[in-house]
Amino acid sequence: MSEWHKTACSLCYVNCGIEVQTEGRAITRVRGDRENPRSRGYLCQKAQRLTWYGDHNDRLTTPLRRREDGTHEPVSWEKALREIAAKLRAVRDADLAAGRPGSMAYVGGGGQGNHSGGGYGLALRKWMNSSRFFGALSQEKTGDFWVNGKMFGGQTNHTAEGVEECDLLLVIGCNPWLANGFNRARSAVNDIKNDPGRRMVVIDPRRTETAEVADVHLPLRPGTDAYLLGAMLALIIERGGQDDEFLATHTEGFDEVKAALGRIPVDDWITHAEVEREDVDRAVDLILAAEAMTVRVELGIQQGRNSTLNSYLEKLLYLLTGNFGRPGTNALHTWLMPLWSESRGERSEITGFEYIGGMLPLNTLAEEILADHPNRARVLWVESSNPANTAADTASVERAIRAAELSVVIDVAFTETAALADYVLPAASQHEKWEFTFFDFEFPTNYFHLRPPLFDPLPGTLVEAEIYARLFEELGLLDASTVDELARVPRVELLKAASPVLQENPAVAPVLLYRTLGRTLPNGAAVAAVLWPGCLTLAKRMPVAVQRALDTDLEGPALASELFDRILANPSGLAFTRHSYDEVWQLMRHDRVHLAVPELLSWLESLDPERDRSDPEYPLSLINGQRRRHNANQILRPPSWRRTDPDGALHVRTDDLTAVSAEAGDWVAIVSRVGRIVVRAEIDDSLRKGQVALPHGFGMSVPDGHGGRVVHGPRINVITDAHDRDPIAGTPHHKDMPVRLERATAAEVAAAARDAEVVHALISAGS
Ligand SMILES: Nc1nc2c(c(=O)[nH]1)N[C@H]1C(S)=C(S)[C@@H](COP(=O)(O)OP(=O)(O)OC[C@H]3O[C@@H](n4cnc5c(=O)[nH]c(N)nc54)[C@H](O)[C@@H]3O)O[C@H]1N2
Ligand SMILES: Nc1nc2c(c(=O)[nH]1)N[C@H]1C(S)=C(S)[C@@H](COP(=O)(O)OP(=O)(O)OC[C@H]3O[C@@H](n4cnc5c(=O)[nH]c(N)nc54)[C@H](O)[C@@H]3O)O[C@H]1N2
Ligand code: SF4
Ligand SMILES: [Mo]
């Protein structure tokens, strides 16, 4: 019987602890790791397919350089890094000479399971004097971060959910049954369903698998969440449902909020959302009766109309009713190291968008590069992200990648973004290196998981930290004898000893840690060196919470050192902070929650059902990027991994499909303001009338088995309008895209059917 190895699932950001058996480079069996203190053995339907991530024939195994004709040729690591370093230096010198801001655009820095490379990549961006940072978070969560900054005082004051202990779960715009998104999601939903004392309300246009088991489902018209949530808040206040004691003790600005809510024409707005007043009253009844409500939201409102306003209203729901900082409610959480940073209102010179959490909207990446502006971005650096498939408006993104003076992609696979880049650098996979994420969103106890590798790096690949360290060395920024000297300094004195080097060039910090402290870590865990400053800061800022989690009375640097050692020694992960509920206020930057956010109250007042009608040219609402049983972002690329949905079908109701004289299985065209794609139609009558859905996580170009490539499923962002976006956060409205359905032409049908046939053959052959 072969051994079980501990790791984590990297197919969504919940990162469940798992145990796997392996054979060669394949993962042959997967089970939940019961010793993982957070996920406690939980797994969803996707984890069993994990082997398809790193073990396939489209892995990168050598650096590639783009030829004039657009194809790539293999080059050695030495040559690739030498050429890239020379170009980076030339651009940096030109930026400095012109007195303009650094012109590197950095995208990514980590995906669902890997954040070890990001810190090193950001160091490079810093050396390039650039603040231009884009990522998946800046096309989904930045509106939420902006609101957190206003209400709690910090954009890293991110909220946690108390799903496992709540007596009312309010689910808005997400489908945990298929997408998970929080710890042990399916078990948690089942527990609520089976407990007569616990309730669930779902706000989602579609009768989702989660809505199916809810006590109340409000199937609102897509894009009307701000109206419905506004009306619900107004009803709560009308019925005196606010928690006066909580508001008086912990918040300010309630009177302004109350006045704004008092002006809401409740019935008009409920009518506009096209839900029954009776059902809304039942939902409000449940909220007012709840001892402990948790609100769980995701892309349905964060990538929907009025998204930043929605993020405000959902927070008001739990704050006005005092469902915060108690067991089973929402709260704030700690960080080992924050995954994003604080911005202070700086804006892009090119688009005028505000930096939020240190990021610019991914939606504006192409504009930053393609702008006719002296300070446009000139270098595009992509690490662990595939914007050619995942950012809005594929055509513009592709143009921007080509237009950059230097484009570099670091990935494990030959992605659609890599296919256009000047240089492609092959990374070791998440199973071939020490890895971790900063997706630690729990309160009152929070957890961290550093995973050891399962395999050696695939020959030809390097760990990201090593790639950056070699690049910094090539740039002459790391002196070998200084490194040797510092590598001998004990951990607790290292940062002080390194301070002359860091003062001269602060950007090298992560790489310096990797080359010095990293060298001393057991079993090749060098990348973990970047966690050390996080341990020091945490031990200083919240020693008691760390002491409780580790059950020790060590203090200061000794406490930090103990935490760091325990992280290294616990392959199932560990608790790193433990608070009591009343300590939640210590995590908040403001002294009291600022309930009144003037920009958002005036946005709320400006809502007008009359101006919010659909465009008769594009009468349907498309969920452009639905989470399904077998999709997982762009992480699993070989077609064979999918047990369902081989074509990435369009889901459409019978009546909406019949309206274009098509039937299930037909190829149909989806047309938006910016593009047209041809997709296979499949019936889903759980959708709302007029709503259609395309899956996230398709559109990969994969080897066809005959020396060519074939595109697997829809490239959904070909039809996304990057300018249809949130006015504050610039995030796209993926969940409510105006489209129409047409019959596909004979030529389109023939081409689509040909590709599908190739894909089906690959699936039958198991590749
Ligand atoms: N299977 C699977 N799971 C995943 C992923 C994956 O690719 N596949 N990706 C992971 C990632 S990165 C993320 S961010 C999460 C996302 O997880 P979710 O946000 O839960 O997933 P989505 O399917 O994108 O959309 C959520 C819901 O929004 C609803 N919706 C559409 N329009 C509206 C609207 O106007 N209002 C409201 N209230 N709801 C609306 C849709 O019907 C859908 O049920 O999933 C994670 N988990
Ligand atoms: N239309 C539409 N677009 C969407 C969405 C939608 O719902 N609709 N959802 C959005 C959301 S919520 C998200 S999170 C994004 C996700 O989109 P992306 O940010 O592009 O992230 P992933 O799809 O997770 O893919 C990450 C890349 O990392 C690579 N990778 C995996 N492991 C490693 C590693 O160890 N090292 C390196 N260097 N690379 C690695 C993978 O091969 C893959 O190419 O998509 C967004 N785009
Ligand atoms: S919930 Fe997410 S991390 Fe957990 S097994 Fe499923 S895909 Fe993997
Ligand atoms: Mo996401």
Side-chain angles (χ1 to χ4, degrees):
M1 196 68 207
S2 67
E3 242 181 291
W4 290 94
H5 306 275
K6 287 175 188 293
T7 180
C9 174
S10 52
L11 298 181
C12 89
Y13 58 83
V14 179
N15 302 141
C16 300
I18 57 174
E19 293 182 298
V20 301
Q21 287 184 346
T22 62
E23 226 179 278
R25 282 188 183 272
I27 293 173
T28 47
R29 293 181 72 192
V30 178
R31 69 181 184 199
D33 178 4
R34 288 171 197 280
E35 287 172 13
N36 182 295
R38 183 175 53 82
S39 62
R40 309 190 304 274
Y42 178 84
L43 273 190
C44 82
Q45 76 284 359
K46 298 198 300 292
Q48 293 296 343
R49 319 297 288 169
L50 192 56
T51 197
W52 295 104
Y53 154 66
D55 179 32
H56 61 79
N57 61 4
D58 212 15
R59 283 285 306 274
L60 294 164
T61 53
T62 174
L64 299 173
R65 185 175 61 183
R66 194 159 176 263
R67 297 192 189 98
E68 278 294 307
D69 68 359
T71 61
H72 286 88
E73 61 188 350
V75 286
S76 68
W77 274 104
E78 291 68 27
K79 201 172 167 74
L81 292 176
R82 198 177 329 120
E83 291 178 6
I84 292 169
K87 290 191 183 173
L88 288 175
R89 190 176 277 290
V91 172
R92 183 177 186 270
D93 288 348
D95 289 345
L96 289 171
R100 64 190 183 214
S103 54
M104 172 183 267
Y106 178 91
V107 180
Q112 301 292 296
N114 57 314
H115 292 158
S116 77
Y120 301 96
L122 290 177
L124 178 67
R125 192 205 66 199
K126 198 164 166 186
W127 183 74
M128 291 293 287
N129 300 307
S130 175
S131 52
R132 278 181 270 215
F133 174 26
F134 307 80
L137 290 171
S138 73
Q139 77 161 318
E140 50 175 329
K141 301 283 181 266
T142 32
D144 176 79
F145 304 166
W146 190 87
V147 176
N148 292 335
K150 297 289 173 188
M151 298 184 91
F152 304 122
Q155 292 176 347
T156 55
N157 276 169
H158 183 249
T159 53
E161 295 132 1
V163 177
E164 289 186 273
E165 287 173 285
C166 68
D167 66 359
L168 173 63
L169 176 61
L170 175 51
V171 175
I172 314 176
C174 53
N175 186 11
W177 192 258
L178 290 185
N180 283 273
F182 53 85
N183 197 25
R184 301 172 56 84
R186 276 195 185 185
S187 304
V189 167
N190 273 333
D191 287 350
I192 294 173
K193 182 182 86 175
N194 296 330
D195 184 339
R198 303 176 72 198
R199 307 278 177 189
M200 183 160 66
V201 174
V202 172
I203 301 180
D204 194 308
R206 185 183 151 232
R207 191 158 181 88
T208 60
E209 296 72 4
T210 314
E212 198 59 55
V213 297
D215 297 275
V216 178
H217 173 211
L218 297 172
L220 81 176
R221 187 160 83 86
T224 60
D225 295 81
Y227 295 88
L228 178 58
L229 299 182
M232 289 171 71
L233 283 161
L235 286 171
I236 287 170
I237 301 303
E238 200 178 289
R239 291 173 54 180
Q242 73 274 14
D243 182 337
D244 290 316
E245 196 188 325
F246 176 89
L247 294 174
T249 317
H250 296 298
T251 71
E252 59 184 53
F254 175 61
D255 289 345
E256 272 166 81
V257 173
K258 183 177 174 185
L261 296 176
R263 289 190 287 273
I264 287 178
V266 171
D267 282 313
D268 286 359
W269 282 20
I270 290 175
T271 306
H272 184 55
E274 295 177 9
V275 287
E276 299 298 327
R277 168 70 197 243
E278 208 178 292
D279 293 338
V280 178
D281 284 331
R282 277 173 58 220
V284 170
D285 287 342
L286 290 179
I287 293 174
L288 297 185
E291 294 284 327
M293 168 178 75
T294 281
V295 179
R296 163 72 198 170
V297 302
E298 221 177 314
L299 302 182
I301 61 166
Q302 292 170 343
Q303 294 178 340
R305 302 275 140 205
N306 302 303
S307 51
T308 298
L309 176 58
N310 294 336
S311 292
Y312 176 54
L313 300 174
E314 54 99 351
K315 289 179 215 304
L316 286 179
L317 276 172
Y318 57 77
L319 289 166
L320 298 190
T321 54
N323 283 294
F324 186 82
R326 291 186 286 112
T329 68
N330 296 84
L332 300 179
H333 63 78
T334 59
W335 295 100
L336 183 63
M337 292 168 89
L339 181 52
W340 53 92
S341 60
E342 301 286 340
S343 297
R344 301 259 167 265
E346 313 85 340
R347 285 178 184 274
S348 156
E349 289 178 284
I350 311 271
T351 65
F353 270 102
E354 194 176 325
Y355 281 85
I356 303 176
M359 286 170 274
L360 286 175
L362 185 62
N363 246 355
T364 63
L365 172 69
E367 288 162 73
E368 291 278 333
I369 297 173
L370 296 171
D372 181 13
H373 190 288
N375 296 353
R376 70 180 182 275
R378 291 172 168 79
V379 172
L380 174 63
W381 194 276
V382 182
E383 185 205 308
S384 197
S385 181
N386 189 12
N389 268 5
T390 55
D393 191 358
T394 305
S396 301
V397 174
E398 290 182 339
R399 220 171 333 120
I401 301 171
R402 289 202 183 94
E405 288 169 26
L406 169 66
S407 52
V408 179
V409 168
I410 304 179
D411 206 296
V412 297
F414 190 66
T415 64
E416 296 59 41
T417 310
L420 301 170
D422 297 327
Y423 292 88
V424 183
L425 302 178
S429 84
Q430 295 169 41
H431 301 142
E432 298 163 354
K433 63 193 172 215
W434 288 81
E435 203 34 287
F436 55 82
T437 73
F438 293 117
F439 291 132
D440 318 310
F441 299 159
E442 304 286 322
F443 184 83
T445 302
N446 205 359
Y447 305 88
F448 186 78
H449 188 187
L450 172 70
R451 301 122 59 180
L454 301 172
F455 314 110
D456 288 336
L458 186 65
T461 66
L462 289 177
V463 172
E464 286 83 352
E466 183 64 29
I467 299 176
Y468 288 106
R470 291 190 189 184
L471 194 58
F472 273 83
E473 281 154 1
E474 187 62 46
L475 288 163
L477 300 169
L478 273 187
D479 169 63
S481 63
T482 315
V483 165
D484 282 343
E485 216 171 282
L486 289 172
R488 285 191 291 272
V489 175
R491 193 192 287 170
V492 291
E493 288 159 27
L494 177 61
L495 287 173
K496 196 158 161 240
S499 70
V501 183
L502 296 180
Q503 255 161 22
E504 197 187 314
N505 197 349
V508 302
V511 180
L512 190 68
L513 278 169
Y514 170 74
R515 278 284 189 252
T516 56
L517 172 60
R519 204 194 277 182
T520 68
L521 299 179
N523 307 317
V527 300
V530 278
L531 303 173
W532 173 236
C535 294
L536 279 169
T537 308
L538 202 68
K540 200 164 169 180
R541 282 196 37 226
M542 44 186 80
V544 178
V546 179
Q547 285 167 341
R548 280 189 207 128
L550 302 187
D551 194 16
T552 171
D553 46 20
L554 291 168
E555 291 177 346
L559 179 62
S561 219
E562 177 70 14
L563 175 58
F564 189 66
D565 284 333
R566 295 252 201 123
I567 288 173
L568 283 162
N570 274 288
S572 285
L574 78 164
F576 70 91
T577 49
R578 204 181 290 280
H579 281 92
S580 59
Y581 278 95
D582 56 335
E583 291 169 345
V584 72
W585 305 106
Q586 297 171 5
L587 304 179
M588 188 170 80
R589 289 253 181 130
H590 282 327
D591 291 335
R592 289 157 163 266
V593 181
H594 293 195
L595 294 176
V597 180
E599 296 92 329
L600 298 175
L601 288 175
S602 55
W603 187 344
L604 182 69
E605 300 224 13
S606 74
L607 291 182
D608 178 1
E610 279 313 307
R611 277 192 282 119
D612 192 21
R613 295 286 164 206
S614 57
D615 180 345
E617 284 276 300
Y618 304 99
L620 301 178
S621 167
L622 169 66
I623 304 174
N624 200 26
Q626 190 181 42
R627 271 63 185 168
R628 294 185 184 166
R629 243 167 216 93
H630 293 100
N631 57 12
N633 290 13
Q634 300 277 302
I635 307 165
L636 300 182
R637 296 180 59 90
S640 287
W641 90 267
R642 301 187 208 264
R643 305 191 70 157
T644 58
D645 202 16
D647 300 312
L650 171 78
H651 286 181
V652 50
R653 284 167 58 106
T654 312
D655 45 1
D656 289 323
L657 188 59
T658 317
V660 293
S661 318
E663 50 187 81
D666 284 356
W667 295 98
V668 294
I670 290 272
V671 187
S672 75
R673 289 187 198 110
V674 302
R676 172 186 178 99
I677 55 176
V678 174
V679 289
R680 175 100 75 185
E682 205 170 83
I683 299 295
D684 179 359
D685 286 320
S686 69
L687 289 157
R688 201 175 193 285
K689 171 102 186 100
Q691 191 185 33
V692 291
L694 284 173
H696 182 52
F698 279 82
M700 292 88 160
S701 159
V702 296
D704 66 3
H706 304 285
R709 287 188 167 264
V710 61
V711 177
H712 178 200
R715 293 189 82 188
I716 57 173
N717 282 309
V718 166
I719 57 172
T720 313
D721 180 355
H723 289 273
D724 185 5
R725 61 196 177 198
D726 185 82
I728 292 178
T731 40
H733 298 141
H734 287 316
K735 304 295 131 156
D736 177 26
M737 270 183 51
V739 296
R740 66 170 176 268
L741 203 54
E742 288 178 3
R743 291 179 61 93
T745 65
E748 284 174 332
V749 171
R754 207 165 45 234
D755 284 356
E757 203 179 310
V758 176
V759 169
H760 294 181
L762 289 172
I763 294 177
S764 311
S767 57

